[in-house]
Amino acid sequence: MPTDRVTTAYLAAEGFESQLREELGRAGVAVSTEHGRLLLSDGPAHEVAWAANIWRDCLELPVASIGTAAKALRDVQRNWAMYAPLHHRRAALIQERLPHVSAKPVVFPTAAPAAPLGSWTLLAPDRMLAAASCSSPFPNGEVELVEDKVGPPSRAYLKLWEALVRLRRWPQPGERCLDLGACPGGWTWVLARLGANVVAVDKAPLDPKVAAMPGVEWRGESAFGLDPASVGPVDWLFSDVICYPARLLRLVERWRAAGLVRNFVCTIKFQGETDHETAAAFARLPGARVLHLHYNKHELTFMLDFSEGR
Ligand SMILES: C[S@@+](CC[C@H](N)C(=O)[O-])C[C@H]1O[C@@H](n2cnc3c(N)ncnc32)[C@H](O)[C@@H]1O
């Protein structure tokens, strides 16, 4: 029988453990124990950005044997992802007895799986922690995308693909997109390939192959000087501009106030210290999600979707 202690576990994105600890500290979440990159806490889940995955309503279960442990998990639900920083061999034997969960690389455009995916770990050889409900639809928050090594002029397209996979929506043919900080054109390439019309804004020019794609218009201006009224309504505003987070927040607020944008997908980039305060201000915008994606570096992805059924 499970014990009744409810715990939340936050799995730090690899290399960003200190950012997660800082963010949890600022949110007043006390971490009782660390288990590899997993930070354990009593109390309800906080939607923190630097967690690759958040394990909600964790259960501690005894592990009398490999077979009974696997059965206990199967009795809860079908799909489970293992996190095994310790006792790896024993954990792998349990995972082998669970139904197979596809970890095939994702071909864009594909929506993230909607089936619940739980997470579990061996805290000790005779004790496991399991959560049926997790924030990420991917095992340990990690998704592998099938790359295109020919088309895009930079690797930045991967984090946009991942954001749209997580959003489970992407621009449709004929929709109007604004791509701020577009050069050399990885994001514009993604959007133009989807059949969208793209206004790409950057002082630097686009890669000529991207500039020549149908539906692409380049404007050699600063994203911050751009008057929303001169652009008009857009279905999507994208930004991958390198700038201080507070400057990006002011830009987003300006465009929100103009009421001309239906969806935002923006990278919040950090130089040196992580500006947690501004990241939290992004997360407080109604309907916002702020995530550290698998393909993000020292940056977060802000997504805001005004459509119904969010
Ligand atoms: C990380 S790169 C963008 C990569 C792009 N998303 C891609 O997929 O290829 C950041 C870009 O921001 C641009 N940038 C910096 N300040 C800007 C500003 N004030 N207005 C517009 N673009 C700016 C830089 O010129 C640079 O091309």
Side-chain angles (χ1 to χ4, degrees), residues 10-44:
Y10 301 88
L11 183 69
E14 210 163 342
F16 298 100
E17 293 85 344
S18 61
Q19 279 80 2
L20 177 60
R21 277 189 215 104
E22 289 160 12
E23 188 183 12
L24 288 170
R26 292 176 62 92
V29 177
V31 172
S32 52
T33 320
E34 299 199 8
H35 175 69
R37 285 185 285 123
L38 199 60
L39 310 191
L40 308 187
S41 159
D42 293 340

Short mmCIF file of all heavy atoms in Angstrom, two decimals, residues 10-44:
data_model
loop_
_atom_site.label_atom_id
_atom_site.label_comp_id
_atom_site.label_asym_id
_atom_site.label_seq_id
_atom_site.Cartn_x
_atom_site.Cartn_y
_atom_site.Cartn_z
N TYR A 10 10.70 18.08 -8.53
CA TYR A 10 11.05 18.95 -9.65
C TYR A 10 12.34 18.43 -10.26
O TYR A 10 13.38 18.38 -9.59
CB TYR A 10 11.27 20.38 -9.15
CG TYR A 10 10.07 20.99 -8.45
CD1 TYR A 10 9.88 20.81 -7.07
CD2 TYR A 10 9.13 21.73 -9.15
CE1 TYR A 10 8.79 21.36 -6.42
CE2 TYR A 10 8.02 22.28 -8.50
CZ TYR A 10 7.87 22.10 -7.15
OH TYR A 10 6.77 22.65 -6.51
N LEU A 11 12.27 18.05 -11.53
CA LEU A 11 13.48 17.57 -12.20
C LEU A 11 14.14 18.76 -12.90
O LEU A 11 13.56 19.36 -13.81
CB LEU A 11 13.11 16.49 -13.23
CG LEU A 11 14.31 15.86 -13.95
CD1 LEU A 11 15.14 15.00 -13.00
CD2 LEU A 11 13.86 15.03 -15.14
N ALA A 12 15.35 19.08 -12.48
CA ALA A 12 16.06 20.21 -13.09
C ALA A 12 16.48 19.85 -14.50
O ALA A 12 16.87 18.71 -14.78
CB ALA A 12 17.29 20.56 -12.26
N ALA A 13 16.40 20.82 -15.40
CA ALA A 13 16.97 20.63 -16.73
C ALA A 13 18.48 20.47 -16.54
O ALA A 13 19.09 21.14 -15.70
CB ALA A 13 16.65 21.85 -17.58
N GLU A 14 19.08 19.58 -17.34
CA GLU A 14 20.50 19.27 -17.18
C GLU A 14 21.34 20.54 -17.35
O GLU A 14 21.17 21.27 -18.34
CB GLU A 14 20.91 18.22 -18.22
CG GLU A 14 22.01 17.36 -17.72
CD GLU A 14 22.15 16.09 -18.54
OE1 GLU A 14 21.21 15.70 -19.25
OE2 GLU A 14 23.23 15.50 -18.44
N GLY A 15 22.19 20.81 -16.39
CA GLY A 15 23.05 21.99 -16.45
C GLY A 15 22.40 23.24 -15.87
O GLY A 15 23.04 24.30 -15.79
N PHE A 16 21.12 23.13 -15.46
CA PHE A 16 20.41 24.31 -14.95
C PHE A 16 19.85 24.05 -13.55
O PHE A 16 18.82 24.59 -13.18
CB PHE A 16 19.31 24.75 -15.95
CG PHE A 16 19.88 25.13 -17.28
CD1 PHE A 16 19.86 24.24 -18.34
CD2 PHE A 16 20.51 26.35 -17.46
CE1 PHE A 16 20.42 24.57 -19.57
CE2 PHE A 16 21.08 26.69 -18.67
CZ PHE A 16 21.04 25.80 -19.74
N GLU A 17 20.59 23.21 -12.79
CA GLU A 17 20.14 22.86 -11.44
C GLU A 17 20.11 24.10 -10.55
O GLU A 17 19.18 24.28 -9.76
CB GLU A 17 21.08 21.81 -10.82
CG GLU A 17 21.04 20.45 -11.50
CD GLU A 17 21.98 20.32 -12.71
OE1 GLU A 17 22.45 21.37 -13.23
OE2 GLU A 17 22.23 19.18 -13.14
N SER A 18 21.12 24.98 -10.68
CA SER A 18 21.16 26.14 -9.77
C SER A 18 20.01 27.10 -10.08
O SER A 18 19.41 27.68 -9.17
CB SER A 18 22.51 26.84 -9.84
OG SER A 18 22.73 27.31 -11.14
N GLN A 19 19.66 27.22 -11.38
CA GLN A 19 18.52 28.09 -11.74
C GLN A 19 17.24 27.58 -11.09
O GLN A 19 16.43 28.35 -10.59
CB GLN A 19 18.35 28.15 -13.26
CG GLN A 19 19.28 29.11 -13.97
CD GLN A 19 20.67 28.55 -14.18
OE1 GLN A 19 20.97 27.41 -13.84
NE2 GLN A 19 21.54 29.37 -14.73
N LEU A 20 17.05 26.24 -11.10
CA LEU A 20 15.83 25.68 -10.50
C LEU A 20 15.82 25.90 -8.99
O LEU A 20 14.80 26.30 -8.42
CB LEU A 20 15.70 24.19 -10.84
CG LEU A 20 14.49 23.49 -10.22
CD1 LEU A 20 13.17 24.12 -10.67
CD2 LEU A 20 14.48 21.99 -10.56
N ARG A 21 16.99 25.65 -8.35
CA ARG A 21 17.05 25.87 -6.89
C ARG A 21 16.72 27.32 -6.56
O ARG A 21 15.95 27.60 -5.64
CB ARG A 21 18.45 25.55 -6.37
CG ARG A 21 18.66 24.07 -6.11
CD ARG A 21 19.98 23.81 -5.39
NE ARG A 21 20.52 22.56 -5.87
CZ ARG A 21 21.53 22.43 -6.73
NH1 ARG A 21 22.19 23.49 -7.17
NH2 ARG A 21 21.92 21.25 -7.13
N GLU A 22 17.30 28.25 -7.32
CA GLU A 22 17.04 29.67 -7.06
C GLU A 22 15.56 29.99 -7.25
O GLU A 22 14.94 30.69 -6.45
CB GLU A 22 17.84 30.55 -8.05
CG GLU A 22 19.34 30.57 -7.79
CD GLU A 22 20.14 31.03 -9.03
OE1 GLU A 22 19.53 31.55 -10.00
OE2 GLU A 22 21.37 30.84 -9.01
N GLU A 23 14.98 29.47 -8.35
CA GLU A 23 13.58 29.77 -8.65
C GLU A 23 12.66 29.22 -7.55
O GLU A 23 11.72 29.91 -7.12
CB GLU A 23 13.20 29.17 -10.02
CG GLU A 23 11.83 29.60 -10.49
CD GLU A 23 11.42 28.94 -11.81
OE1 GLU A 23 12.08 27.98 -12.26
OE2 GLU A 23 10.41 29.39 -12.37
N LEU A 24 12.93 27.98 -7.11
CA LEU A 24 12.10 27.39 -6.05
C LEU A 24 12.25 28.21 -4.76
O LEU A 24 11.26 28.46 -4.07
CB LEU A 24 12.50 25.93 -5.81
CG LEU A 24 12.09 24.95 -6.92
CD1 LEU A 24 12.74 23.57 -6.69
CD2 LEU A 24 10.57 24.80 -6.99
N GLY A 25 13.48 28.62 -4.47
CA GLY A 25 13.72 29.42 -3.27
C GLY A 25 12.92 30.72 -3.30
O GLY A 25 12.27 31.09 -2.33
N ARG A 26 12.92 31.37 -4.47
CA ARG A 26 12.17 32.63 -4.61
C ARG A 26 10.67 32.40 -4.46
O ARG A 26 9.96 33.28 -3.99
CB ARG A 26 12.44 33.26 -5.97
CG ARG A 26 13.86 33.77 -6.15
CD ARG A 26 14.05 34.27 -7.56
NE ARG A 26 13.15 35.37 -7.83
CZ ARG A 26 13.44 36.64 -7.66
NH1 ARG A 26 14.63 36.99 -7.22
NH2 ARG A 26 12.56 37.58 -7.93
N ALA A 27 10.21 31.20 -4.87
CA ALA A 27 8.78 30.89 -4.78
C ALA A 27 8.40 30.37 -3.39
O ALA A 27 7.25 30.03 -3.14
CB ALA A 27 8.40 29.85 -5.84
N GLY A 28 9.39 30.30 -2.49
CA GLY A 28 9.12 29.85 -1.12
C GLY A 28 8.93 28.35 -1.00
O GLY A 28 8.33 27.87 -0.04
N VAL A 29 9.44 27.60 -1.99
CA VAL A 29 9.31 26.13 -1.95
C VAL A 29 10.56 25.56 -1.29
O VAL A 29 11.67 25.76 -1.77
CB VAL A 29 9.17 25.55 -3.38
CG1 VAL A 29 9.12 24.03 -3.34
CG2 VAL A 29 7.94 26.12 -4.07
N ALA A 30 10.35 24.85 -0.17
CA ALA A 30 11.49 24.25 0.54
C ALA A 30 11.79 22.87 -0.07
O ALA A 30 10.88 22.06 -0.24
CB ALA A 30 11.15 24.10 2.02
N VAL A 31 13.05 22.67 -0.40
CA VAL A 31 13.46 21.37 -0.95
C VAL A 31 14.02 20.55 0.20
O VAL A 31 14.96 20.96 0.87
CB VAL A 31 14.52 21.56 -2.06
CG1 VAL A 31 15.10 20.24 -2.51
CG2 VAL A 31 13.92 22.32 -3.23
N SER A 32 13.40 19.37 0.42
CA SER A 32 13.84 18.55 1.57
C SER A 32 15.04 17.69 1.20
O SER A 32 15.95 17.51 2.00
CB SER A 32 12.69 17.68 2.07
OG SER A 32 12.13 16.95 1.00
N THR A 33 15.05 17.14 -0.01
CA THR A 33 16.10 16.22 -0.43
C THR A 33 16.38 16.41 -1.90
O THR A 33 15.49 16.80 -2.66
CB THR A 33 15.63 14.74 -0.26
OG1 THR A 33 14.90 14.63 0.94
CG2 THR A 33 16.78 13.77 -0.28
N GLU A 34 17.61 16.09 -2.32
CA GLU A 34 17.93 16.05 -3.74
C GLU A 34 18.27 14.61 -4.10
O GLU A 34 18.96 13.92 -3.34
CB GLU A 34 19.09 16.99 -4.06
CG GLU A 34 18.75 18.44 -3.74
CD GLU A 34 19.64 19.46 -4.43
OE1 GLU A 34 20.45 19.06 -5.30
OE2 GLU A 34 19.53 20.65 -4.08
N HIS A 35 17.79 14.20 -5.25
CA HIS A 35 18.02 12.82 -5.71
C HIS A 35 18.46 12.98 -7.17
O HIS A 35 17.63 13.14 -8.06
CB HIS A 35 16.71 12.05 -5.58
CG HIS A 35 16.73 10.66 -6.11
ND1 HIS A 35 17.44 9.64 -5.53
CD2 HIS A 35 16.11 10.09 -7.18
CE1 HIS A 35 17.26 8.52 -6.20
NE2 HIS A 35 16.46 8.77 -7.22
N GLY A 36 19.78 13.01 -7.39
CA GLY A 36 20.26 13.38 -8.72
C GLY A 36 19.79 14.80 -9.04
O GLY A 36 19.95 15.71 -8.22
N ARG A 37 19.16 14.96 -10.19
CA ARG A 37 18.63 16.28 -10.57
C ARG A 37 17.20 16.51 -10.07
O ARG A 37 16.58 17.51 -10.42
CB ARG A 37 18.63 16.42 -12.11
CG ARG A 37 19.99 16.65 -12.72
CD ARG A 37 19.88 16.90 -14.21
NE ARG A 37 19.61 15.72 -14.98
CZ ARG A 37 18.55 15.56 -15.79
NH1 ARG A 37 17.66 16.52 -15.94
NH2 ARG A 37 18.38 14.43 -16.47
N LEU A 38 16.71 15.57 -9.27
CA LEU A 38 15.32 15.65 -8.79
C LEU A 38 15.29 16.30 -7.41
O LEU A 38 15.92 15.82 -6.47
CB LEU A 38 14.76 14.23 -8.73
CG LEU A 38 13.26 14.03 -8.69
CD1 LEU A 38 12.58 14.61 -9.93
CD2 LEU A 38 12.94 12.54 -8.57
N LEU A 39 14.59 17.41 -7.31
CA LEU A 39 14.48 18.12 -6.03
C LEU A 39 13.12 17.80 -5.41
O LEU A 39 12.09 18.03 -6.05
CB LEU A 39 14.62 19.63 -6.24
CG LEU A 39 15.81 20.12 -7.09
CD1 LEU A 39 15.96 21.63 -6.99
CD2 LEU A 39 17.11 19.46 -6.65
N LEU A 40 13.15 17.23 -4.21
CA LEU A 40 11.92 16.75 -3.58
C LEU A 40 11.41 17.76 -2.58
O LEU A 40 12.18 18.35 -1.84
CB LEU A 40 12.17 15.42 -2.86
CG LEU A 40 12.84 14.31 -3.66
CD1 LEU A 40 12.86 13.02 -2.85
CD2 LEU A 40 12.12 14.08 -4.98
N SER A 41 10.10 17.91 -2.57
CA SER A 41 9.50 18.90 -1.69
C SER A 41 8.14 18.41 -1.21
O SER A 41 7.43 17.73 -1.94
CB SER A 41 9.35 20.19 -2.48
OG SER A 41 8.40 21.01 -1.90
N ASP A 42 7.79 18.78 0.01
CA ASP A 42 6.41 18.54 0.47
C ASP A 42 5.58 19.72 -0.01
O ASP A 42 6.10 20.80 -0.18
CB ASP A 42 6.37 18.47 2.00
CG ASP A 42 7.11 17.24 2.51
OD1 ASP A 42 7.28 16.30 1.72
OD2 ASP A 42 7.53 17.25 3.68
N GLY A 43 4.33 19.48 -0.23
CA GLY A 43 3.46 20.59 -0.62
C GLY A 43 3.08 20.53 -2.08
O GLY A 43 3.59 19.69 -2.84
N PRO A 44 2.17 21.40 -2.48
CA PRO A 44 1.63 21.34 -3.84
C PRO A 44 2.63 21.80 -4.89
O PRO A 44 3.61 22.49 -4.57
CB PRO A 44 0.43 22.30 -3.79
CG PRO A 44 0.75 23.25 -2.68
CD PRO A 44 1.58 22.50 -1.69
#
